Amino acid sequence: MNSDDTRPRDEEAEAELKGVPEELIGGEEDEAALDSIDQTLGKLNDELAEAKQEVLYARAETQNVRRRLEKDIADARSYAATGFARDILSVSDNLARALESISAEVREDERLKNFIAGIEATQREIDKVFGQHGISRIAAKGLPLDPHQHQAMMEQPSSEHEPGTVVQELQAGYMIKDRLLRPAMVVVAKKPD
């Protein structure tokens, strides 16, 4: 690179014009040509600005699509077991019903103690596995009815409870992480007649 390369462009243009006859340098035709070049340059600058804006929009859209895909993938991982979990809830319900139906005198029978202990251990294992997969039981009894988590099956007149309070749980409800897996089926208090 020589020292001439560092001169401003105007000086370079003047240096190139030295020795060129005057009638070839100036004139109305040249001014018209310069105006045309200026218009073309302005148009190209506008197109460049528009292209830059489109690139920015495309980048933003690409980033939004990537974020949505990442969220969808995370949701798929988190909630992949939802269908299977719903099916296993009925098994858990049946074990709970079996344990609730065992009377105190049957629990004392030496021949059935190991059998009952096995059912209780199975229920605890299911609860443990549910916990490991983010499945939790919905609290219901004694709480106000929450239509996002409870399904009112009946109303029961009660002077002991505020109207709209859950007085009995017919079937346990469950959440999987922050989503409803199954609503709790409940009986709700109402004002006595």
Side-chain angles (χ1 to χ4, degrees):
M1 178 164 61
N2 62 32
S3 62
D4 290 339
D5 289 341
T6 60
R7 289 185 301 190
R9 289 200 168 260
D10 290 342
E11 289 179 16
E12 287 178 13
E14 285 179 28
E16 289 176 8
L17 293 176
K18 283 187 183 174
V20 175
E22 194 67 36
E23 60 272 358
L24 295 178
I25 295 175
E28 292 178 21
E29 293 173 3
D30 289 339
E31 286 182 31
L34 286 175
D35 286 343
S36 174
I37 290 172
D38 285 343
Q39 287 177 355
T40 303
L41 186 58
K43 196 183 300 182
L44 288 173
N45 281 333
D46 291 344
E47 289 175 7
L48 177 62
E50 187 177 319
K52 284 181 179 179
Q53 193 65 34
E54 288 176 6
V55 167
L56 289 176
Y57 286 139
R59 281 184 183 166
E61 182 62 25
T62 302
Q63 189 174 13
N64 289 339
V65 168
R66 185 174 35 82
R67 285 184 186 147
R68 278 193 301 267
L69 286 174
E70 288 171 356
K71 183 185 181 308
D72 289 347
I73 289 168
D75 284 351
R77 286 185 184 139
S78 295
Y79 304 110
T82 299
F84 180 71
R86 278 194 187 106
D87 295 339
I88 293 300
L89 287 179
S90 64
V91 174
S92 178
D93 292 341
N94 289 334
L95 282 174
R97 279 190 214 91
L99 288 171
E100 288 172 5
S101 69
I102 300 173
S103 66
E105 55 194 46
V106 171
R107 286 183 182 273
E108 297 302 319
D109 188 340
E110 287 297 320
R111 294 176 295 165
L112 298 175
K113 276 190 177 184
N114 287 337
F115 177 72
I116 295 168
I119 294 174
E120 289 171 339
T122 304
Q123 182 66 49
R124 283 192 305 272
E125 185 66 22
I126 286 177
D127 292 342
K128 178 182 165 190
V129 170
F130 281 175
Q132 290 171 344
H133 293 278
I135 300 169
S136 59
R137 188 172 175 156
I138 296 171
K141 194 169 181 182
L143 297 174
L145 178 71
D146 179 354
H148 300 291
Q149 295 183 342
H150 306 137
Q151 182 175 349
M153 302 304 290
M154 298 186 304
E155 287 186 321
Q156 177 179 326
S158 175
S159 57
E160 298 172 16
H161 300 92
E162 287 287 319
T165 301
V166 175
V167 293
Q168 183 182 355
E169 182 180 68
L170 302 175
Q171 184 179 49
Y174 288 88
M175 300 285 289
I176 182 165
K177 300 192 189 318
D178 60 344
R179 290 188 184 171
L180 182 67
L181 187 58
R182 181 179 78 186
M185 294 186 185
V186 298
V187 177
V188 180
K190 71 175 186 175
K191 287 184 181 179
D193 295 331

